[in-house]
């Protein structure tokens, strides 16, 4: 079983910055990718940013140029630096990880961390 522990959420004013962290632990063996998703009230969960173990990244159009995802393979940790934040970034942010062990794929989600951007 793989556990994901998120940290760094909170309240910030519009235009401000926050940094989220997510550390994976447990029966990982090979971590292929980690990502951040978010879910605002009344909306579906959406991908914010994703990074592979090889360093390839992709972002939602709404956060391009403002958010940066990065990974530390040695620590099995992913970060999301959020700058120039907007009220519409308010959501619960979930960490996601996928990999494989013993020939089987796995994936898991973190519990989520609240991010609130005030106008």
């Amino acid at each position: 079983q793989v556990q994901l522990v998120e940290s760094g959420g909170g309240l910030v004013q519009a235009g401000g910055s926050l940094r989220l962290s997510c550390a994976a632990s447990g029966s990982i063996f090979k971590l292929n990718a980690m990502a951040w998703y978010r879910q605002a009230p009344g909306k579906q969960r959406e991908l914010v940013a994703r990074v592979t173990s090889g360093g390839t990244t992709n972002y939602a159009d709404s956060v391009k140029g403002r958010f940066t995802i990065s990974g530390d393979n040695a620590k099995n940790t992913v970060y999301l630096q959020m700058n120039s934040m907007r009220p519409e970034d308010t959501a619960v942010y979930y960490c996601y990880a996928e990999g494989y062990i013993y020939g089987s794929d796995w994936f898991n989600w973190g519990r989520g961390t609240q991010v609130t951007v005030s106008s």
Side-chain angles (χ1 to χ4, degrees):
Q1 187 76 347
V2 176
Q3 295 80 40
L4 301 178
V5 178
E6 301 133 329
S7 61
L11 174 65
V12 65
Q13 288 188 332
S17 299
L18 280 177
R19 188 189 193 214
L20 304 182
S21 300
C22 174
S25 63
S27 302
I28 296 173
F29 184 65
K30 180 65 171 72
L31 188 60
N32 288 334
M34 296 186 77
W36 289 96
Y37 285 73
R38 67 186 181 187
Q39 187 167 18
K43 295 188 177 181
Q44 289 189 333
R45 190 173 298 189
E46 62 175 359
L47 175 67
V48 176
R50 183 176 185 269
V51 60
T52 69
S53 58
T56 300
T57 59
N58 61 286
Y59 296 90
D61 288 342
S62 60
V63 307
K64 284 180 181 177
R66 300 188 298 121
F67 291 9
T68 301
I69 191 169
S70 60
D72 185 332
N73 289 337
K75 296 181 179 180
N76 292 324
T77 298
V78 66
Y79 307 96
L80 185 68
Q81 178 66 44
M82 303 183 289
N83 299 328
S84 302
M85 297 189 73
R86 305 167 180 169
E88 53 264 39
D89 294 322
T90 295
V92 178
Y93 283 68
Y94 296 91
C95 180
Y96 169 89
E98 61 185 41
Y100 68 85
I101 186 170
Y102 304 134
S104 296
D105 295 332
W106 60 262
F107 69 93
N108 206 0
W109 294 90
R111 291 188 173 185
T113 184
Q114 177 69 45
V115 171
T116 302
V117 184
S118 63
S119 58

